[in-house]
């Protein structure tokens, strides 16, 4: 299974050398990041490509959602095999929620997530002021206000359309 960043960016745009997304959670906030290494003359193009990735999140297949959930649950279980990661996780859970959950509890939480939940989370992330950090030859990086405008919450639909590969019809959530 590959992410959309891999299939829709790295496989299609030779000028993108690397790209990945990550998130950090805090007790009262969080941070979602996209990191990319791009050939300088395509910096503006990358913002367009990234915007299109976010637009595409309005269509999530049932298979894609199931595979993402399975990958996350596998990651949770595999991380428990490393003591240092497990200790860091226990500390984070205690700080954020005051208790420590089991892998099975987290698995049930992951299973409860819907495509609509994901869309709302992305919408919330895109409503915030983006922070842009660029280094190297940055003369082709669009101005901050242009990036903010292009990544605005308006790029996502109000409801998620779930593609059912076994049906000729899409389902609106």
């Amino acid at each position: 299974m590959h992410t959309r960043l891999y299939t829709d960016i790295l496989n299609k745009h030779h000028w993108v050398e690397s790209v990945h997304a990550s998130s950090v959670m805090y007790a009262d906030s969080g941070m979602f990041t996209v990191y990319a290494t791009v050939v300088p003359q395509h910096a503006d193009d990358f913002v367009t490509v990234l915007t299109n990735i976010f637009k595409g999140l309005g269509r999530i297949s049932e298979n894609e959602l199931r595979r993402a959930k399975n990958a996350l649950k596998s990651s949770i279980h595999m991380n428990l095999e490393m003591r240092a990661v497990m200790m860091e996780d226990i500390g984070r859970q205690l700080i954020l929620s005051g208790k420590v959950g089991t892998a099975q509890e987290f698995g049930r939480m992951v299973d409860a997530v819907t495509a609509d939940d994901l869309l709302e989370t992305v919408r919330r992330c895109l409503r915030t002021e983006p922070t842009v950090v660029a280094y190297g030859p940055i003369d082709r990086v669009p101005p901050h206000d242009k990036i903010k405008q292009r990544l605005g919450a308006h790029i996502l639909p109000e409801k998620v359309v779930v593609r059912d590969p076994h049906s000729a019809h899409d389902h609106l959530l």
Side-chain angles (χ1 to χ4, degrees):
M1 178 178 104
H2 299 290
T3 67
R4 290 184 186 189
L5 294 179
Y6 182 84
T7 59
D8 294 347
I9 295 181
L10 289 173
N11 277 351
K12 294 180 181 177
H13 303 283
H14 67 280
W15 41 265
V16 179
E17 296 172 1
S18 68
V19 62
H20 72 268
S22 62
S23 63
V24 179
M25 298 173 292
Y26 300 103
D28 60 349
S29 64
M31 181 171 49
F32 170 74
T33 64
V34 176
Y35 172 88
T37 306
V38 179
V39 174
Q41 62 265 30
H42 290 285
D44 186 67
D45 298 328
F46 180 74
V47 176
T48 300
V49 169
L50 190 59
T51 300
N52 290 335
I53 292 294
F54 286 129
K55 283 181 183 177
L57 293 177
R59 299 185 72 81
I60 300 171
S61 73
E62 290 179 16
N63 187 43
E64 197 173 26
L65 182 59
R66 185 181 65 254
R67 289 170 60 183
K69 288 179 180 185
N70 288 340
L72 180 55
K73 290 187 292 187
S74 294
S75 176
I76 290 168
H77 285 280
M78 290 176 68
N79 282 335
L80 292 176
E81 295 178 6
M82 296 176 278
R83 291 274 187 221
V85 174
M86 186 174 70
M87 291 297 117
E88 180 183 337
D89 184 55
I90 288 171
R92 183 179 297 118
Q93 288 182 51
L94 287 171
I95 290 170
L96 293 176
S97 67
K99 64 180 184 117
V100 177
T102 67
Q104 292 76 18
E105 289 171 318
F106 286 113
R108 285 191 293 275
M109 288 185 231
V110 169
D111 285 337
V113 172
T114 67
D116 213 28
D117 294 334
L118 294 177
L119 181 63
E120 181 54 31
T121 300
V122 172
R123 246 193 226 105
R124 288 177 61 199
C125 289
L126 293 177
R127 273 196 292 259
T128 61
E129 181 85 16
T131 300
V132 178
V133 177
Y135 63 93
I138 61 169
D139 56 311
R140 300 289 282 261
V141 175
H144 182 265
D145 61 327
K146 296 289 184 193
I147 294 172
K148 179 181 172 182
Q149 178 185 11
R150 286 158 67 183
L151 292 176
H154 67 278
I155 68 173
L156 293 172
E158 286 303 311
K159 290 289 183 181
V160 177
V161 177
V162 178
R163 295 179 305 212
D164 182 351
H166 305 293
S167 168
H169 305 288
D170 289 338
H171 306 285
L172 186 63
L173 296 178

